[in-house]
Each structure stands twice: as C-alpha cells, then as structure tokens.
C-alpha cells in the first residue's frame, strides 16, 4: 500500500469516529424532541451537520483506499474505528468503559495489527 493509501485509511478511521461522536453530541443536545421537531433539530444541529460532512469526506477517502488496497486487508482493519469509539466515549462523552470493553478494544487493535502485518 502506498503512503497516500495509508494516510487516507487512517483518515477514514478518524473521520468515522469523528462522525459517530459528533452525531452523539448533537443528539444529546436535542433532548426529548419528537416527530417533526426532532428531525428539524437534527437537520439544524451543528454537530450533526459536522458529523455528516465528516462522513462525506470519509466515503470519498474510503473509495480511494478500496481502489488501491486489498479489501481483505483494509476491511478488517477498519474495525479500528470501534477502538476509536471507545476512546472518544471516554474522552469526550464522559463514558466509563469497564475493563472488559478495554480488553475487547485491545483485541481489536491486535487483530487489526495482525491483518495489516500480512501486507509484508
């Protein structure tokens, strides 16, 4: 994989976590709205809009990565976004993951590393 492919792969993981975190922050601020009021609040939330834009950039980057790298490598490695979600939940949302969740995140990281190492 080229340096550009690696960079864009990393960007897709970061943008996936960013999008999820932005959506969660935006939806938490909407509160108990229902029906049309809920969807109006979603459509005008700066966090939700930022998350959506992040996903758009991620999709374009992911297309480049898929066009230049084996799916059997980058597909499983994309699971690193799960690890990023645990970290983002802890850092930005005040979540307190228990030891089992950290262990699971570590195993995902190990698995992604093993898959990535198979490139060589």
């Amino acid at each position: 994989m080229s340096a550009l492919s690696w960079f864009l792969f990393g960007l897709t993981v970061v943008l996936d976590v960013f999008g999820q975190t932005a959506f969660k922050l935006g939806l938490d601020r909407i509160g108990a709205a229902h029906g049309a009021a809920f969807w109006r609040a979603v459509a005008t939330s700066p966090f939700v809009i930022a998350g959506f834009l992040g996903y758009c950039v991620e999709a374009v980057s992911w297309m480049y990565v898929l066009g230049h790298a084996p799916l059997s490598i980058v597909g499983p490695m994309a699971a690193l976004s799960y690890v990023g979600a645990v970290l983002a939940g802890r850092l930005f949302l005040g979540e307190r993951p228990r030891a089992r969740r950290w262990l699971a995140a570590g195993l995902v990281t190990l698995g992604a590393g093993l898959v990535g190492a198979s490139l060589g």
Side-chain angles (χ1 to χ4, degrees):
M1 263 175 51
S2 69
L4 178 59
S5 293
W6 279 113
F7 170 77
L8 290 174
F9 171 78
L11 183 65
T12 64
V13 171
V14 169
L15 288 172
D16 189 40
V17 174
F18 170 79
Q20 292 176 42
T21 306
F23 285 165
K24 177 67 174 157
L25 287 167
L27 293 169
D28 282 352
R29 282 163 176 73
I30 289 173
H34 296 289
F38 172 79
W39 293 110
R40 194 170 19 264
V42 166
T44 59
S45 166
F47 285 107
V48 172
I49 293 167
F52 180 75
L53 292 174
Y55 274 167
C56 290
V57 174
E58 176 193 1
V60 171
S61 299
W62 186 241
M63 283 186 262
Y64 183 90
V65 171
L66 286 177
H68 294 84
L71 176 62
S72 62
I73 300 292
V74 295
M77 287 180 60
L80 288 171
S81 66
Y82 301 148
V83 178
V86 174
L87 290 170
R90 175 68 182 104
L91 295 173
F92 303 112
L93 302 171
E95 296 176 359
R96 300 252 182 226
R98 293 186 178 203
R100 184 176 288 168
R101 197 169 310 156
W102 287 117
L103 175 62
L107 290 172
V108 168
T109 303
L110 176 63
L114 290 171
V115 169
S118 71
L119 276 171

